[in-house]
Amino acid sequence: MSEEVKKREPLFSAKNRKLLTTPLGKNNPITVQVLGICSALAVTVKLEPAFVMAISVVAVLAIGNVVISLLRNMIPPRIRIIVQLVVIAALVILVDQVLKAFAYDVSKQLSVFVGLIITNCIIMGRFEAFAMANKPWPSFLDGLGNAAGYGLILIIVAFFRELLGSGTVWGYPLFEKLGIYSVGYENNGLMILPPMALITVGIIIWVQRYKNRELIED
Amino acid sequence: MYSNGYIFRFAIIMVVIVAAILSGAAMVLKPFQERNATNEKMQTILEAAEVSATAENAQEQYSKYIATELVVDMEGNIIGQYQDGKMVSGEQRAFDVKLKEQLKNLQDFKNGKDVQVLLPIYIFDDGSRKLNIIPMQGKGLWGPIYGTIALEGDLNTVYGAVFSHKGETPGLGAEIATKDFQQQFKDKTIFDQNGNFVSVKVVKGGVANSNINPAHGVDAISGGTITSDGVTDMLKNTFELYVPYFDKQQ
């Protein structure tokens, strides 16, 4: 009995904390692993949908990681990808239905992109790389961390795209209130288009690697 | 190693469990989703008449202002009238008419099948003005676009227009859902001076640079040509169906 207690590591041991924090910075799924770019381009025109998207991915990835981790010893390896896909699809449909019922306006803005969480490479990547080989609690933290890392970048990108593309922050007309338009400033329509999200992500990657030299591969 | 039998059993059990969870969730959430959709429809109808309603008071505002709902057929006869919360004549309530089904019926009708196309009209009345609100659906670039147009009592002048879409390009086609675009429709007319049906056209390059009468044209969206054309087609195709009814009312 006492031996078993000794074997157990505390819930927030250094190792577990790391699972949660490294994806936010050093091992960010978007800027370092360069995964999940597709949806980062699509939903970052405005802050609000980006935020809801981030929350949805957190829910899907954290719960999905736990489910896969619980099933990890039962899943036949030959059909594991399909099993993972079914778990993701089920969770995504649930999220979509819940949004439709309780956050109707936002769900309309996100439209197909909630469904496209299914194709988000981060999710399957974490299922396959982490949850299939780890216990539920670390898997949960890993899912939370990776989804939060993804969401963080999404929100940063959305902030700049909304500010420069529409002159607003979370729908609040900041530039108009500051009177920037009266001195001849105009919104940059290019920021609304997907390519600028790629460039924004590129700039974030550049800044991050400039600050953290160990990320630079030669 | 896992046997084939195990793999099949695992797959079957998993799929059954997932299906049960999902259908359970769908059943529980359906009333909420339907209420959202109903509220949204009411809000849109009221918005065309420039009455803003929130999701919370949509039902109340709707029953206050929209006292009459009509369903007319393609010959212009009224085949359903819903008034003050009950059917006065006919069986079909305008609010329950699904535009998508009617578009399909219209297609069948054009192909020579004997089907009836139901055309809904909402009569807005706030005591001082009477508006005829017509819902419509058409095709944009990526998916369906929707419109709700309020015509004044003369059944000719546009009082207000609201457009929405399923997935048009943000910043381009999606601009049809903005106030700036919709405001242009105010006071446009769908019949010319001689009483011929012309609809309202969304003009690429701007009405000022074209030979279209400004009374029947609005400026298109730069970079959103296909969506703009979709709006033009939707307006023309829909109003066209109502012309027999309009004629009978004059």
Side-chain angles (χ1 to χ4, degrees), chain B residues 54-222:
Chain B
T54 59
E56 284 74 40
N57 69 7
Q59 306 256 357
E60 186 192 321
Q61 295 283 80
Y62 183 87
S63 49
K64 184 171 151 199
Y65 290 117
I66 312 285
T68 315
E69 295 171 14
L70 298 178
V71 177
V72 299
D73 66 11
M74 294 213 292
E75 277 86 51
N77 305 311
I78 296 173
I79 51 175
Q81 185 169 3
Y82 180 89
Q83 203 147 11
D84 302 321
K86 54 184 185 295
M87 293 304 302
V88 177
S89 66
E91 271 155 27
Q92 185 71 45
R93 188 184 163 186
F95 197 80
D96 298 330
V97 172
K98 302 243 183 324
L99 290 180
K100 203 173 154 192
E101 280 169 23
Q102 299 313 317
L103 285 177
K104 195 177 160 288
N105 285 353
L106 181 66
Q107 206 55 49
D108 288 348
F109 179 80
K110 282 182 180 158
N111 292 338
K113 276 196 206 147
D114 183 30
V115 285
Q116 196 171 32
V117 181
L118 306 172
L119 307 168
I121 302 180
Y122 304 94
I123 313 286
F124 173 94
D125 195 347
D126 67 353
S128 62
R129 63 207 151 110
K130 218 172 154 192
L131 303 171
N132 300 275
I133 301 172
I134 295 170
M136 50 188 71
Q137 182 178 345
K139 281 196 195 100
L141 173 58
W142 303 115
I145 51 177
Y146 312 95
T148 311
I149 315 289
L151 293 177
E152 284 180 20
D154 61 0
L155 294 169
N156 180 17
T157 317
V158 176
Y159 181 80
V162 181
F163 298 103
S164 59
H165 59 93
K166 184 125 192 222
E168 297 308 297
T169 322
L172 304 174
E175 296 288 300
I176 60 165
T178 60
K179 271 266 167 312
D180 288 344
F181 178 74
Q182 295 167 6
Q183 292 274 298
Q184 297 188 82
F185 284 85
K186 203 170 168 63
D187 297 332
K188 301 291 170 195
T189 52
I190 59 169
F191 291 96
D192 67 10
Q193 274 114 352
N194 307 324
N196 298 318
F197 172 70
V198 284
S199 183
V200 179
K201 228 175 136 79
V202 184
V203 186
K204 186 179 177 176
V207 179
N209 305 322
S210 71
N211 53 8
I212 287 169
N213 185 337
H216 309 303
V218 300
D219 295 343
I221 298 148
S222 339

